[in-house]
Amino acid sequence: MGKMKKVRIGDLLKEKGYITEAQLKVALNEAKNKGKKLGEMLIELGYIDEKTVTDVLAEQLGIEKTTLNDIKFEKPLKEALPEKLARRFKVVPVDTEGDDLIIATNDPTDIFALDEISRVTHKEVVPTIMSKDDLFSVLEKIYGTEDRLYKIVDDVEKKITSRGNDEDVLRSLAEDASVVNLVDGIIAKALAEKASDIHVEPDEDILRIRYRIDGILHEVLSLSKVLHPAIISRVKIMSNMNIAEKRLPQDGRFKIKRNFKDVDFRVSTLPTNYGEKVVLRILDREKALLDLKNIGMDEYSLSIYEDMISKPYGIILISGPTGSGKTTTLYASLNKLNTPEKNIITVEDPIEYNFKLINQVNVDETAGLTFANALRYILRQDPDIIMIGEIRDKETAEIAIQASLTGHLVLSTIHTNDAASSAIRLVEMGIENYLVSTSLIGVVGQRLVRKICPYCKVEYKPEKELIERLGLDDDIVLYKGEGCEKCKFSGYQGRIGIYEVMKMDSDIRSMINKNAPIDEIRQKAKKKGMRFMRDSGLELVKEGVTTLEEVLRATIVKE
């Protein structure tokens, strides 16, 4: 194969203005100490996102980029490249053309890997570049985990049936290679399918494994109930829980290294009438390193929000129900604000991702460390920016407001339906109106909507009544997913945020002081230029990103 020019990725990113000389020096030092590649270290430190590194490398090396949507899984790709080579070098086959084998890799500068693949396959290797996330997903889709899982299941069943399930046996089984492989396989499959949660649920006579994918639960495995004690015990040992305690709920966490990256899991057990249920929340570290520009906020709303977080003091609230992406927005905001010149402290319940340079405090109610108590101590630590995981009560709200009025920028979340409701919620908690109006810089309301599956996307004409109700053009053509194997016949794949950003001004402050109804505040904010979440969603509908049904499901009717 032809020679590929050597690229100094650090110098290249610095020349293009993506990183500074100081950031490059820090990353080089950290990469050397930890034995990691520079590009990987720059992403881990939050100085740059993976997409930028991938784009710059592709441009400089003159090679194509490949995404998950470009892979034609119906082709016999497994036969084009042995699984051992694919997993060893972290590459996937994309296509074959005559004597050429087109592969996707996250490190196209690894000449040794390309030469070795060429030698074994007797093909001319043509590299393309792919993000780590997509690469791992394709690896598992092509080479699969499900067949292997069922083979392991048979082995584990025989061992449990022959050995019983008292505590000593369970402890030894939890360390047994077959049980370790079974739990590892369940986790690997969940990561490949980009699940956010794994549910291990005992029923009367079966053990059900479900994954939450794009906010929806899917049953993926139905196993013998005999396997339940061994799987639960293995997860408990991984999470540092008490293996003998089965009557009380427990919480834990663990970390694994999967292919390219560390993956964190938050684990919770719950005693049910059929035995202990366990839920594993998968915490994707790369979401914590998101650039604000990549979370889905439209340019107009983003410009308002970036102006809000540039203020030296005041409160910014992110509102929405559970599972609406509030934490992702908070972390992307912190990532933008995180510089060596600022002292940033967070108080979270629990800490989901660890940041460089940021001091993070984990709430511990049993030890008396509540949000309010932690905040009191934080204020003695000379902070510039404070992030509070959630404002739940009057005490926390009062301290947060005092902090904002004494020169601190405070970011937090609140459970309300929209931006305008958040200000009123603080008043309902018992905070004086003038304190709310004075301290608030602005509020973001958000939801997550599912994106149309690119593999089964088709055009359709919506009903006339719906077009009229939403004020759409008569001749508009929209899109939906028909449902296919790749999206589990849901018609959707992936999610994106829809937002409304309400910036405070003198008129809105005056309305809060006078206890104006929420609807009046919303309409005033709209006149001042705020785009409602539904408007944001309808733009994505017109662009063919999501469906009308998704936007109508996720947003309130009053708009």
Side-chain angles (χ1 to χ4, degrees):
M1 52 180 285
K3 290 275 184 185
M4 189 179 289
K5 57 185 174 179
K6 189 170 175 64
V7 172
R8 293 176 64 90
I9 185 68
D11 292 336
L12 198 58
L13 291 167
K14 189 182 75 173
E15 283 168 24
K16 290 182 174 287
Y18 290 115
I19 59 172
T20 64
E21 176 70 30
Q23 288 174 328
L24 178 56
K25 282 181 180 174
V26 171
L28 281 167
N29 189 50
E30 287 279 311
K32 185 180 177 183
N33 291 339
K34 295 184 178 179
K36 294 187 175 183
K37 291 179 179 174
L38 178 61
E40 188 181 353
M41 202 66 239
L42 285 164
I43 294 166
E44 190 177 309
L45 288 165
Y47 293 156
I48 198 165
D49 58 47
E50 190 189 359
K51 182 180 181 298
T52 304
V53 175
T54 304
D55 289 348
V56 169
L57 267 176
E59 182 188 339
Q60 188 66 14
L61 295 170
I63 62 175
E64 296 289 321
K65 284 188 295 179
T66 301
T67 68
L68 189 62
N69 295 344
D70 298 324
I71 307 292
K72 297 178 174 63
F73 291 105
E74 61 272 13
K75 289 196 171 187
L77 295 174
K78 192 186 291 190
E79 298 164 17
L81 183 66
E83 181 177 359
K84 197 173 282 185
L85 272 184
R87 291 192 182 278
R88 178 185 167 194
F89 293 121
K90 309 294 187 293
V91 302
V92 291
V94 174
D95 208 349
T96 53
E97 295 175 2
D99 289 331
D100 290 345
L101 169 62
I102 302 165
I103 63 150
T105 172
N106 190 248
D107 184 10
T109 63
D110 188 349
I111 303 301
F112 171 75
L114 303 182
D115 283 342
E116 182 66 6
I117 292 167
S118 183
R119 185 185 69 76
V120 173
T121 61
H122 306 293
K123 294 275 189 183
E124 184 73 20
V125 176
V126 180
T128 65
I129 192 165
M130 179 181 271
S131 74
K132 288 180 182 178
D133 218 27
D134 279 0
L135 191 53
F136 173 67
S137 190
V138 174
L139 257 176
E140 296 306 327
K141 278 180 185 287
I142 291 176
Y143 298 104
T145 53
E146 203 156 323
D147 292 343
R148 278 176 295 181
L149 271 181
Y150 279 113
K151 285 174 190 169
I152 296 168
V153 163
D154 291 337
D155 185 31
V156 177
E157 273 194 63
K158 286 171 190 167
K159 285 183 179 175
I160 294 174
T161 305
S162 64
R163 289 160 66 180
N165 63 0
D166 64 45
E167 188 184 330
D168 290 337
V169 170
L170 285 176
R171 193 172 289 281
S172 65
L173 267 176
E175 302 290 358
D176 188 278
S178 57
V179 176
V180 170
N181 288 337
L182 175 56
V183 173
D184 194 55
I186 290 169
I187 289 170
K189 182 173 171 59
L191 292 173
E193 305 226 5
K194 299 189 176 179
S196 62
D197 301 84
I198 304 169
H199 290 239
V200 182
E201 301 171 320
D203 209 331
E204 188 172 5
D205 49 12
I206 62 163
L207 179 65
R208 187 182 296 108
I209 310 292
R210 295 198 289 173
Y211 296 159
R212 188 175 294 281
I213 302 168
D214 298 333
I216 307 295
L217 276 170
H218 300 269
E219 184 171 332
V220 290
L221 293 169
S222 182
L223 307 175
S224 165
K225 185 79 176 285
V226 172
L227 296 166
H228 175 245
I231 291 174
I232 295 292
S233 298
R234 176 63 196 160
V235 172
K236 281 184 174 180
I237 283 177
M238 292 171 75
S239 313
N240 201 25
M241 293 181 190
N242 182 353
I243 194 171
E245 180 56 76
K246 300 172 186 175
R247 295 165 303 169
L248 296 173
Q250 295 186 65
D251 289 304
R253 57 193 302 148
F254 65 90
K255 182 198 302 181
I256 62 170
K257 201 159 193 75
R258 178 64 57 183
N259 278 14
F260 299 100
K261 57 186 180 182
D262 290 330
V263 183
D264 294 296
F265 292 80
R266 197 170 77 221
V267 186
S268 169
T269 68
L270 183 72
T272 74
N273 54 331
Y274 293 121
E276 285 182 286
K277 171 179 174 172
V278 65
V279 175
L280 295 84
R281 163 64 57 90
I282 301 169
L283 305 172
D284 185 352
R285 284 187 170 204
E286 289 184 3
K287 283 186 181 175
L289 300 176
L290 271 177
D291 191 298
L292 270 176
K293 292 174 183 170
N294 296 334
I295 64 173
M297 201 178 283
D298 63 88
E299 285 186 23
Y300 174 72
S301 298
L302 180 60
S303 65
I304 298 171
Y305 184 64
E306 286 186 328
D307 179 59
M308 280 162 47
I309 64 171
S310 69
K311 304 298 182 193
Y313 56 87
I315 294 183
I316 295 168
L317 294 176
I318 314 294
S319 71
T322 302
S324 58
K326 298 189 297 295
T327 302
T328 299
T329 303
L330 270 185
Y331 279 154
S333 306
L334 286 184
N335 204 40
K336 170 119 181 140
L337 295 167
N338 190 13
T339 64
E341 297 80 38
K342 292 193 179 99
N343 179 19
I344 302 176
I345 307 181
T346 74
V347 51
E348 305 173 56
D349 183 21
I351 294 170
E352 293 195 10
Y353 309 94
N354 296 313
F355 280 85
K356 305 284 181 185
L357 292 177
I358 293 179
N359 307 283
Q360 295 171 270
V361 178
N362 206 104
V363 165
D364 186 348
E365 301 272 354
T366 56
L369 188 63
T370 62
F371 274 114
N373 285 342
L375 264 175
R376 288 190 182 94
Y377 288 108
I378 283 171
L379 289 169
R380 300 171 193 167
Q381 292 282 316
D382 186 32
D384 297 298
I385 299 168
I386 301 168
M387 190 272 268
I388 307 166
E390 184 186 344
I391 292 180
R392 299 176 181 170
D393 52 49
K394 181 183 178 183
E395 190 179 13
T396 307
E398 281 177 337
I399 302 167
I401 284 173
Q402 286 306 317
S404 72
L405 295 174
T406 52
H408 306 89
L409 180 65
V410 179
L411 282 75
S412 189
T413 70
I414 194 163
H415 278 277
T416 56
N417 287 328
D418 55 32
S421 302
S422 301
I424 304 306
R425 178 76 188 100
L426 291 176
V427 173
E428 289 169 350
M429 281 183 183
I431 307 299
E432 294 286 350
N433 298 57
Y434 76 93
L435 287 175
V436 173
S437 63
T438 306
S439 59
L440 263 187
I441 297 171
V443 188
V444 175
Q446 67 178 80
R447 296 288 189 282
L448 289 175
V449 293
R450 290 179 291 172
K451 296 193 287 186
I452 298 168
C453 172
Y455 299 103
C456 57
K457 186 174 179 177
V458 294
E459 291 184 358
Y460 81 101
K461 190 88 169 87
E463 294 175 12
K464 189 173 181 182
E465 182 191 344
L466 194 57
I467 291 175
E468 288 174 356
R469 183 158 68 91
L470 295 171
L472 300 172
D473 295 333
D474 286 343
D475 57 349
I476 194 168
V477 174
L478 301 180
Y479 298 86
K480 64 182 179 181
E482 284 192 306
C484 65
E485 195 174 318
K486 292 186 178 70
C487 63
K488 296 188 178 296
F489 300 96
S490 67
Y492 298 98
Q493 196 175 84
R495 289 190 292 177
I496 190 169
I498 56 174
Y499 302 85
E500 60 185 28
V501 180
M502 185 178 86
K503 188 176 179 181
M504 299 295 287
D505 66 8
S506 57
D507 287 342
I508 295 175
R509 286 192 173 95
S510 175
M511 293 180 80
I512 291 170
N513 287 337
K514 293 173 182 173
N515 281 321
I518 291 172
D519 283 349
E520 286 183 21
I521 295 174
R522 285 172 57 76
Q523 292 308 319
K524 175 62 74 173
K526 185 174 184 178
K527 284 180 185 174
K528 297 277 184 172
M530 181 180 88
R531 294 182 66 186
F532 287 150
M533 276 184 275
R534 179 164 290 182
D535 298 328
S536 171
L538 289 177
E539 281 303 310
L540 294 178
V541 169
K542 291 172 188 174
E543 292 166 16
V545 175
T546 188
T547 64
L548 266 178
E549 289 78 8
E550 269 296 283
V551 173
L552 295 176
R553 177 189 64 80
T555 57
I556 59 176
V557 179
K558 289 178 185 175
E559 296 163 14

